[in-house]
């Protein structure tokens, strides 16, 4: 008793507490605030301070309630760090990460959509699936419908998607449904990987094999001789 409360509170909070007490007694207003204290029993803690004006021995006084929020703050900080790591991973990935609503509306695409496909993300978010080649769109829609119906992850579908410059890129896609507490699918999360160069290499290989096959067919129909003295071929 008869001891200033400031003796129990770290010096860096003295001005804040003095101002809060004055504001509370003069105006009746009080905004809760946090501060750190060192408890001889529990060590370093973070507390939330709430107060109200009361009458004590016939004079106005302030009754303060301190709530220990140390564990809550630790959980919040751990969650914030986890979200920052996830955001950094998504934003720096070489693939496109996306989310769809159950009715096929794009609710999120990672920023590298712009780097890979040219469109600003604002042109994509909030809209149904766009820019997929008309010949491939039915397959992609059926792929999503089946995932919604089964509630199981799926992957490996390949399709063409249009770059902002008008060219077509090849992508492969893996998706996973997100369920609510009742087991209903409430969203689709997915990742797209650009396989355009692989597709071009496969096409070039097919054309090379075709040309070789044609050359062999022609060679099998022609009789020829080579003269080593003249370096000339003779065909029948």
């Amino acid at each position: 008793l008869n001891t200033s409360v400031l003796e129990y509170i770290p010096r860096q909070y003295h001005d804040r507490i003095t101002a809060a007490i004055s504001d509370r007694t003069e105006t009746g207003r009080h905004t809760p605030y946090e501060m750190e204290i060192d408890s001889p029993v529990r060590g370093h803690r973070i507390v939330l301070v709430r107060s109200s004006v009361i009458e004590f021995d016939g004079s106005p006084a302030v009754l303060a309630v301190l709530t220990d929020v140390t564990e809550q703050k630790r959980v919040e900080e751990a969650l914030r760090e986890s979200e920052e790591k996830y955001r950094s991973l998504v934003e720096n990935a070489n693939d496109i990460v996306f989310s769809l609503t159950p009715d096929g509306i794009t609710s999120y695409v990672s920023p590298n959509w712009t780097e890979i496909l040219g469109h600003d993300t604002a042109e994509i978010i909030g809209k149904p699936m766009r820019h997929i080649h008309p010949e491939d769109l039915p397959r992609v829609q059926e792929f999503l419908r089946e995932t919604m119906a089964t509630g199981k992850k799926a992957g490996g579908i390949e399709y063409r998607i249009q770059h902002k410059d008008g060219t077509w890129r090849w992508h492969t896609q893996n998706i996973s449904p997100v369920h609510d507490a009742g087991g209903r699918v409430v969203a689709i999360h997915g990742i797209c990987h650009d396989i355009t160069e692989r597709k071009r290499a496969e096409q070039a290989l097919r054309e090379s094999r075709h040309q070789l096959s044609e050359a062999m067919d022609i060679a099998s129909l022609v009789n020829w001789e080579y003269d080593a003295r003249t370096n000339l071929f003779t065909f029948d």
Side-chain angles (χ1 to χ4, degrees):
L1 294 176
N2 299 321
T3 301
S4 172
V5 69
L6 298 179
E7 292 187 16
Y8 303 97
I9 296 172
R11 184 170 298 278
Q12 64 265 32
Y13 296 105
H14 287 189
D15 290 343
R16 179 189 298 181
I17 291 175
T18 301
I21 293 174
S22 175
D23 184 61
R24 187 62 168 161
T25 55
E26 292 176 6
T27 68
R29 296 190 307 267
H30 174 67
T31 301
Y33 59 90
E34 295 176 359
M35 68 178 183
E36 300 177 25
I37 62 173
D38 290 313
S39 166
V41 177
R42 304 190 65 188
H44 189 76
R45 312 301 292 174
I46 302 173
V47 296
L48 178 65
V49 182
R50 300 183 182 90
S51 64
S52 59
V53 176
I54 63 171
E55 184 175 311
F56 183 75
D57 285 343
S59 300
V62 174
L63 174 66
V65 177
L66 278 62
T67 304
D68 190 332
V69 294
T70 307
E71 297 308 320
Q72 175 186 329
K73 299 301 289 187
R74 287 174 180 168
V75 170
E76 290 175 355
E77 178 63 18
L79 180 60
R80 184 188 62 78
E81 291 179 356
S82 177
E83 289 176 343
E84 287 181 355
K85 289 178 181 178
Y86 176 74
R87 185 180 302 109
S88 177
L89 177 64
V90 168
E91 292 181 354
N92 291 285
N94 292 323
D95 298 331
I96 295 173
V97 177
F98 67 92
S99 294
L100 299 174
T101 64
D103 54 354
I105 302 299
T106 305
S107 56
Y108 172 81
V109 290
S110 52
N112 56 354
W113 175 292
T114 304
E115 179 182 348
I116 295 172
L117 290 171
H119 315 93
D120 189 279
T121 56
E123 301 177 55
I124 308 301
I125 295 175
K127 300 178 176 63
M129 290 184 299
R130 310 172 92 182
H131 312 298
I132 295 176
H133 196 287
E135 295 177 5
D136 300 333
L137 183 58
R139 288 191 302 107
V140 174
Q141 291 174 328
E142 179 58 29
F143 179 69
L144 293 171
R145 280 194 294 266
E146 184 175 350
T147 300
M148 290 286 296
T150 63
K152 298 179 179 179
K153 62 177 63 177
I157 188 171
E158 298 179 357
Y159 57 92
R160 288 160 290 180
I161 188 165
Q162 194 170 35
H163 191 282
K164 190 167 186 176
D165 64 10
T167 61
W168 292 99
R169 310 289 298 181
W170 276 97
H171 278 193
T172 183
Q173 183 182 112
N174 295 327
I175 56 176
S176 179
V178 179
H179 302 85
D180 64 10
R184 297 178 304 165
V185 176
V186 294
I188 294 287
H189 290 174
I191 186 167
C192 303
H193 179 66
D194 192 305
I195 57 171
T196 306
E197 295 308 317
R198 192 196 83 191
K199 284 291 189 178
R200 287 173 179 169
E202 290 173 353
Q203 180 62 25
L205 180 59
R206 283 193 295 269
E207 292 175 356
S208 177
R209 286 176 174 172
H210 180 67
Q211 292 171 357
L212 178 59
S213 176
E214 287 186 336
M216 292 179 68
D217 289 343
I218 292 173
S220 66
L221 298 175
V222 177
N223 294 320
W224 54 272
E225 292 182 358
Y226 172 69
D227 189 328
R229 290 182 302 104
T230 61
N231 289 328
L232 295 175
F233 288 91
T234 303
F235 296 91
D236 294 335

